[in-house]
Amino acid sequence: MPLQANIQGEETPVPECIVRQFKESDSDWLMEWYKADRKGMESFMGVPLEAPEACMSAFNRIFEGVIAFQARFWVMDLDEEPMGFFLVTDIDRQRHLARIHIYVGPDHRRYSLKVAQVLDDVLVPELREMGVRTVVASQPFEQRGAYGLAKRMGFTPVPTVMLTKEI
């Protein structure tokens, strides 16, 4: 593990971030994140998640998409403890476009720069190999920190406004 100097000049280990495939035991982490950050999970999913069962149902739909090769899902670990996940959806190979979704658990958001670096170092090459050349991401206005990080990662606002109307 790499080392860094702290304020006292002592060397301390730098937490290591890795990206890996989802495994069965990660379901427990998904539920822990839901309990700790329901609003964040609802923002990620784009739908209300009134109960844990609704959250698991939403993840099951995601995993069905992964099995059908319509989506990709990775877990991010920090020193072997899950800290969040990446999801790629809306993969349009003809137009070389995909949509990326990123969730970092509330206790690990201070490591968001590491998440961004791993995204660039590990996932971007994998997406290129799949034929993707452009990724898009949705960002709620009120999440200013995440918006700033996305801009730092090279994302730029699209000069189009999407409007919705409930009927």
Side-chain angles (χ1 to χ4, degrees), residues 139-144 147:
Q139 182 61 54
F141 285 115
E142 67 271 4
Q143 295 178 357
R144 291 298 201 197
Y147 178 75

Side-chain angles (χ1 to χ4, degrees), residues 1-164:
M1 179 181 301
L3 299 174
Q4 68 182 6
N6 62 19
I7 284 189
Q8 293 82 21
E10 303 163 342
E11 290 187 344
T12 58
V14 176
E16 183 179 1
C17 290
I18 62 164
V19 174
R20 62 170 173 78
Q21 296 298 315
F22 181 82
K23 55 188 177 188
E24 188 88 18
S25 61
D26 291 327
S27 295
D28 296 336
W29 282 101
L30 299 178
M31 293 317 307
E32 287 300 317
W33 287 319
Y34 170 78
K35 290 175 189 172
D37 184 28
R38 179 176 148 193
K39 184 178 177 184
M41 280 290 181
E42 288 177 334
S43 176
F44 181 88
M45 294 293 185
V47 296
L49 301 170
E50 299 296 327
E53 296 79 19
C55 183
M56 286 313 297
S57 177
F59 274 110
N60 286 336
R61 284 191 299 279
I62 288 171
F63 297 137
E64 288 169 5
V66 171
I67 291 168
F69 300 104
Q70 298 169 341
R72 299 288 308 268
F73 189 91
W74 297 273
V75 174
M76 168 72 72
D77 284 347
L78 180 69
D79 285 342
E80 299 181 23
E81 179 179 311
M83 65 181 287
F85 47 86
F86 297 111
L87 172 66
V88 177
T89 61
D90 305 320
I91 303 167
D92 184 346
R93 288 181 172 85
Q94 290 79 22
R95 295 170 69 201
H96 306 287
L97 182 74
R99 183 174 176 191
I100 190 164
H101 314 262
I102 304 167
Y103 178 84
V104 178
D107 294 340
H108 293 95
R109 292 192 177 136
R110 66 184 174 276
Y111 297 108
S112 292
L113 287 175
K114 287 187 176 293
V115 170
Q117 190 62 51
V118 170
L119 176 67
D120 280 342
D121 294 348
V122 177
L123 296 183
V124 167
E126 190 159 337
L127 291 171
R128 277 193 191 118
E129 191 173 304
M130 292 171 50
V132 174
R133 295 295 175 259
T134 302
V135 292
V136 296
S138 301
Q139 182 61 54
F141 285 115
E142 67 271 4
Q143 295 178 357
R144 291 298 201 197
Y147 178 75
L149 179 61
K151 285 179 65 175
R152 188 171 177 174
M153 292 172 63
F155 284 88
T156 56
V158 177
T160 303
V161 175
M162 180 180 285
L163 305 169
T164 63

